Amino acid sequence: MGVRVMVVDEHRLLAEALASALKLRGHRVLAAAAPAAGAAELVISRAPEVCLLGTATPAEPGVFEPIVRIKRERPQIAVVVLGPVPSPRGIAAAFAAGASGYVRHDERIEGVERALAKARAGEVAIAPQLLQGAFAELLNPAAQPDDEGSRLLRMLTPREVEVLVRVAEGEDTRLIAAGMAIAPSTARTHVQRVLMKLGVGSRLEAAALAARTGLLDRAGLLERAGLPPTGAASS
């Protein structure tokens, strides 16, 4: 028995092509429309068994608001998201909004049909490999784009990081030397190198920059973990 389904996607040609394919396979496709301000209203008014909702940006804030409204006003409508390979955040956002499933937009039509059937039956419709990929990313997150604090931290050697922390705590050259068991002249040289690498002219500026960029917080985490700054050379 075919599923009474509505296809909604921002790419009208994709929506119409998918709708045509589903019709040829015996499903009752009520409409194919590009999402707009009235997309949720259209789905609610047509009341399909399943809505196949396409999106190119599953992790974008607010992208699944139509699902929230659909589920609030027509909880019997199952919504399956059609999108790119999702991030864990995208999957979480879709299901948090009330989606019944998630299908990759390059899935074969048979896979789409299985998702529609599962969603109509009240089951979770998501391929196991998508969940495995999401969990793998959560357990082994990809490196995030460098921010200023990370960039600055990589410029300093472990000893220079310690000097910067002491400068930020208000220690003068004598206290830095005593605390690190080095000569005052060596401590002074380290301070000058830190100022030069950070591109500032004074200890006060160095401390302010370190605090503003979160460099001190990162340095503290590395120190507690017993790790050197990423990419830094030892001294």
Side-chain angles (χ1 to χ4, degrees):
M1 179 180 177
V3 178
R4 192 169 75 254
V5 59
M6 181 172 181
V7 181
V8 180
D9 193 277
E10 62 183 345
H11 300 291
R12 184 173 292 276
L13 287 177
L14 175 60
E16 292 177 349
L18 182 54
S20 296
L22 290 171
K23 285 179 181 178
L24 289 174
R25 299 177 75 88
H27 300 286
R28 294 167 290 166
V29 184
L30 300 182
E41 289 86 344
L42 184 59
V43 174
I44 292 168
S45 66
R46 296 297 183 89
E49 293 176 302
V50 182
C51 170
L52 192 59
L53 179 68
T55 178
T57 55
E60 183 177 315
V63 73
F64 295 129
E65 282 303 313
I67 301 179
V68 175
R69 181 171 177 193
I70 291 169
K71 298 303 292 185
R72 181 175 65 243
E73 300 193 23
R74 294 274 188 170
Q76 72 274 21
I77 299 176
V79 181
V80 175
V81 175
L82 178 70
V85 177
S87 66
R89 180 180 299 179
I91 289 180
F95 283 96
S100 297
Y102 194 109
V103 178
R104 283 175 50 164
H105 58 193
D106 59 353
E107 179 63 82
R108 296 174 64 88
I109 190 65
E110 293 85 359
V112 176
E113 283 189 294
R114 285 194 295 271
L116 295 179
K118 282 187 174 183
R120 183 176 64 176
E123 301 175 22
V124 174
I126 183 169
Q129 58 267 32
L130 285 185
L131 285 179
Q132 291 169 1
F135 284 129
E137 186 175 337
L138 286 171
L139 294 173
N140 302 286
Q144 297 298 311
D146 292 342
D147 58 24
E148 189 176 3
S150 296
R151 180 182 63 81
L152 293 174
L153 187 59
R154 286 199 302 272
M155 296 169 58
L156 305 176
T157 67
R159 178 150 291 191
E160 288 166 350
V161 170
E162 183 179 354
V163 169
L164 177 59
V165 171
R166 290 177 180 276
V167 166
E169 291 175 348
E171 294 186 8
D172 59 19
T173 301
R174 179 180 58 81
L175 288 175
I176 292 174
M180 297 179 65
I182 58 178
S185 59
T186 303
R188 191 175 298 108
T189 298
H190 281 313
V191 171
Q192 290 304 314
R193 285 179 179 171
V194 169
L195 299 183
M196 179 184 67
K197 288 183 177 182
L198 296 182
V200 296
S202 69
R203 299 182 183 209
L204 183 59
E205 288 180 80
L209 177 64
R212 177 175 60 80
T213 61
L215 195 158
L216 292 177
D217 292 335
R218 294 177 182 276
L221 288 173
L222 290 172
E223 183 178 6
R224 286 195 291 275
L227 300 173
T230 303
S234 60
S235 63

